Amino acid sequence: MSNINMSAFAEKMGVSKKYRQGDVIFNRGDEGDCMFIVQSGSIELKVDDKLVDSCKQNDAIGYMSLVDGSARSSTATASTDTEVSILNERHFRYMVDEVPNFAMYLMETMAQRIRGMAKALD
């Protein structure tokens, strides 16, 4: 993965929110108007109860909706007590335009998730 500390950028730019273990952060099919960066804890991404990915500190989730305007493609649930930074579309666009390696970070993350989905759905 690209060497980018998303947690540090997101902590400065976004709004922080805490979730308790078992809390749903978003559901598959929800409208997506923000993305999340995991600051602490862990989050599971599932499609039809099949685990697609487990996310930890510095991982990004929810960004695909900002890329293409589509609904959420998975359900995100806090698998431990978790804190995230929430970045809105304005923050996202700023990161794309101004932060070196951000686009590569997202592409690498997206490729990893697509491979995870394919494996989980086999």
Side-chain angles (χ1 to χ4, degrees):
M1 282 284 226
S2 297
N3 288 335
I4 184 170
N5 187 345
M6 283 300 303
S7 295
F9 284 112
E11 192 170 41
K12 292 177 187 171
M13 294 179 64
V15 174
S16 180
K17 185 168 181 179
K18 294 182 179 182
Y19 292 91
R20 308 243 342 136
Q21 182 178 5
D23 286 351
V24 173
I25 298 164
F26 57 78
N27 285 296
R28 183 176 184 196
D30 287 352
E31 181 180 327
D33 61 355
C34 64
M35 66 178 283
F36 305 83
I37 305 297
V38 181
Q39 294 294 341
S40 65
S42 60
I43 297 171
E44 290 183 337
L45 298 177
K46 291 184 177 181
V47 175
D48 298 331
D49 294 324
K50 293 183 182 182
L51 182 65
V52 174
D53 201 4
S54 293
C55 305
K56 59 188 181 332
Q57 184 180 17
N58 203 47
D59 287 344
I61 65 170
Y63 56 85
M64 284 187 3
S65 292
L66 295 177
V67 170
D68 68 3
S70 295
R72 303 287 189 197
S73 59
S74 62
T75 297
T77 305
S79 50
T80 65
D81 289 351
T82 301
E83 183 174 1
V84 298
S85 291
I86 302 170
L87 302 177
N88 63 26
E89 187 172 358
R90 183 176 55 85
H91 295 132
F92 175 78
R93 296 287 175 212
Y94 173 83
M95 297 286 280
V96 168
D97 292 342
E98 301 296 329
V99 177
N101 299 324
F102 179 67
M104 182 57 87
Y105 168 84
L106 288 183
M107 287 188 290
E108 288 173 353
T109 301
M110 194 177 308
Q112 177 185 347
R113 295 261 166 74
I114 290 169
R115 293 179 193 284
M117 277 185 152
K119 186 176 179 179
L121 299 175
D122 270 347

